[in-house]
Amino acid sequence: MPAVVVVGAQWGDEGKGKATDQLGAQVDYVVKFNGGNNAGHTVVIDGEKYALHLLPSGILSPGVTPVIGNGVVIDLEVLFQEIDALVTRGVDVSRLLVSSAAHVIAPYNRTIDKVTERFLGKRKIGTTGRGIGPTYADKINRVGIRVQDLFDENILRQKVEGALDQKNHLLVKVYNRRAITVEETVEDLLRYAERLRPMVADTPLILNRALDAGKIVLFEGGQATMLDVDHGTYPFVTSSNATAGGVCTGSGVGPTRIDRVIGVVKAYATRVGEGPFPTELLDEMGEFLRATGGEFGVTTGRPRRCGWYDAVVARYSSRINGLTDFVLTKLDVLTGLEKIPVCVAYDVDGVRYDEMPADQSNFHHAKPVLVEYDGWTEDITQARTFEDLPVNAQRYVLALEELSGTRISAIGVGPGRDATILRHDLIG
């Protein structure tokens, strides 16, 4: 029985939540392995919209055990706000497991995130200001606070003291902010400890035993390939490994156990925050995609930058993640366009690049080489087989498949859970 990975293959917001949710009925565990509440998934079930940030999408599937892995950084206030919101809507959250080794976002991490971004001015990264990056930095610098530390006040206090010895110098002397006290930080973190305790587990052990027992485990990535700290458009990236490789470090499940890696791509492209975006449209067509596709951040509400499908990015993502399948989302957004351009290569100062430039400067200056495909006017939201699609829509999908280097196994034609065409089984 397989371990299946679902990752974003562009800059995020591709519809990973819906893809994960659709697979939920077939899986036993859904694991979030990276990131924090700096991104979100929107899932629509029977017309009801659910916006998830920290919780895995599997929380909405009865019988599925949702897991927050050790690679996630957790804002405890946000976690319980999200849990409470689902409980009031009748969702059972009792199965949720949280890794004892996951790191916790302390109040000072949020403060440092916000003041640092303001300090950068025009060189800003586009962070959400939720303390994600500083928490990962603490993890790497070995001054981080982990979930298990909340259950030993002496250890927690020692770790907070050690962290604030350094951070208060930075806040007071560089950023002209008040010092943060150890007491207020410890008090803030401890108020969640007893409620959190029943959820905390040795999740790597549980997941490996589940695979041993023939259970199906789905790993759900936050953010996306082009925001990966190693393989994305650095420095305009997130602070974790959002690619398939992050599954192993972020969950404690080894690479030999992974059977399928599914990349989710939109039928066009979007990006939030700063950084290069070769196919970006700064005209009425960009506004059309934004309005028609509802391209506003689930977590921040920020308008997303919109552009045409980038096959160079798709090929790169396929290679970096070792993709076995693509899920293509939001094909319906393109309905009504006479012509649909696709980026097949880049032009950098007269030099053609068919693959991602290794030099960030070249990618920053890349101009898209576009090929146009005929559009369609027919409503496709009720299509449930590939043959139900208009001929031009079929041709567009097949062209993207050929250009992107991996088969397109599912196609989203609307926001609802059932508005999907399945061409190949994603689990078996």
Side-chain angles (χ1 to χ4, degrees), residues 11-150:
W11 281 275
D13 309 308
E14 301 95 344
K16 298 182 294 296
K18 178 185 172 184
T20 305
D21 173 67
Q22 286 174 321
L23 297 169
Q26 304 175 63
V27 307
D28 301 293
Y29 291 79
V30 174
V31 185
K32 185 178 172 85
F33 64 85
N34 76 301
N37 58 305
N38 53 338
H41 297 322
T42 300
V43 179
V44 180
I45 303 173
D46 297 330
E48 289 278 315
K49 183 180 287 188
Y50 296 85
L52 304 175
H53 306 279
L54 265 173
L55 294 173
S57 300
I59 196 89
L60 300 173
S61 299
V64 170
T65 299
V67 178
I68 296 178
N70 59 274
V72 178
V73 292
I74 303 173
D75 185 317
L76 295 170
E77 182 178 5
V78 172
L79 175 65
F80 287 114
Q81 284 176 352
E82 207 166 308
I83 288 172
D84 291 341
L86 290 181
V87 169
T88 61
R89 298 176 70 176
V91 177
D92 178 16
V93 300
S94 63
R95 293 174 176 265
L96 177 65
L97 299 177
V98 178
S99 170
S100 61
H103 281 246
V104 174
I105 298 174
Y108 50 74
N109 294 130
R110 290 190 294 271
T111 300
I112 287 173
D113 201 1
K114 291 171 184 173
V115 297
T116 302
E117 184 77 347
R118 283 199 291 270
F119 188 78
L120 287 172
K122 66 179 182 179
R123 294 180 291 110
K124 65 182 180 179
I125 302 299
T127 173
T128 57
R130 285 164 167 77
I132 312 296
T135 305
Y136 277 115
D138 282 358
K139 177 179 179 177
I140 299 304
N141 287 325
R142 291 161 294 189
V143 294
I145 295 168
R146 300 197 292 178
V147 165
Q148 58 193 269
D149 299 329
L150 301 182

Side-chain angles (χ1 to χ4, degrees), residues 269-342:
T270 62
R271 162 159 215 172
V272 172
E274 306 300 318
F277 183 16
T279 68
E280 183 172 13
L281 295 165
L282 301 173
D283 55 14
E284 66 277 1
M285 189 52 67
E287 288 296 331
F288 168 83
L289 292 174
R290 187 175 300 112
T292 308
E295 297 298 351
F296 298 89
V298 177
T299 299
T300 63
R302 287 188 291 184
R304 296 172 186 147
R305 300 157 64 189
C306 296
W308 299 123
Y309 187 90
D310 191 328
V312 182
V313 163
R315 289 194 292 272
Y316 176 75
S317 187
S318 179
R319 183 168 67 252
I320 291 294
N321 291 291
L323 296 182
T324 58
D325 305 84
F326 272 122
V327 171
L328 182 72
T329 63
K330 291 196 170 184
L331 184 64
D332 54 300
V333 173
L334 301 179
T335 298
L337 297 180
E338 184 178 348
K339 296 287 184 181
I340 306 172
V342 172

Side-chain angles (χ1 to χ4, degrees), residues 175-209:
Y175 297 126
N176 197 30
R177 297 290 293 260
R178 75 169 182 87
I180 296 172
T181 68
V182 172
E183 199 58 46
E184 67 183 297
T185 303
V186 170
E187 183 180 329
D188 181 89
L189 294 172
L190 283 180
R191 62 193 171 111
Y192 301 105
E194 290 313 308
R195 189 175 178 191
L196 183 65
R197 190 188 292 270
M199 307 172 188
V200 177
D202 182 351
T203 54
L205 179 63
I206 290 170
L207 294 173
N208 278 284
R209 284 182 172 173

Side-chain angles (χ1 to χ4, degrees), residues 242-258:
T243 42
V247 169
C248 301
T249 52
S251 71
V253 171
T256 58
R257 311 214 69 166
I258 295 169

